[in-house]
Amino acid sequence: MQNKSILAYTLILLPLAISIYFLINPKALIPNGYELAIDGYVISRTLIFIFTFYLLSKLGYFITNKKD
């Protein structure tokens, strides 16, 4: 039970930490050579990150609330 709890809290906190990192450092989303043509690329990549983090946090909440 303890290992599942640690995994669940990791799945909740890891996307939150990465999201805060991208909020503080938005240039991490821009690859080299794409400084001038970034609008669509950054928006699509950001949406992928948001969706992935949402799924990871939902998985963490599911593991936390799962009844044995």
Side-chain angles (χ1 to χ4, degrees):
M1 182 70 181
Q2 184 67 15
N3 290 338
K4 287 184 181 180
S5 178
I6 292 172
L7 176 66
Y9 288 121
T10 303
L11 288 175
I12 294 169
L13 293 176
L14 186 65
L16 181 63
I18 294 172
S19 298
I20 291 171
Y21 171 74
F22 284 131
L23 182 67
I24 293 170
N25 188 9
K27 290 189 178 190
L29 292 171
I30 303 170
N32 294 335
Y34 284 95
E35 288 85 13
L36 298 176
I38 59 170
D39 291 337
Y41 186 79
V42 171
I43 290 171
S44 63
R45 195 166 176 187
T46 304
L47 288 173
I48 289 171
F49 281 130
I50 289 170
F51 184 66
T52 304
F53 296 152
Y54 173 76
L55 288 177
L56 284 175
S57 62
K58 280 296 185 181
L59 180 63
Y61 283 118
F62 176 73
I63 292 172
T64 302
N65 294 332
K66 185 177 164 184
K67 298 193 185 327
D68 291 333

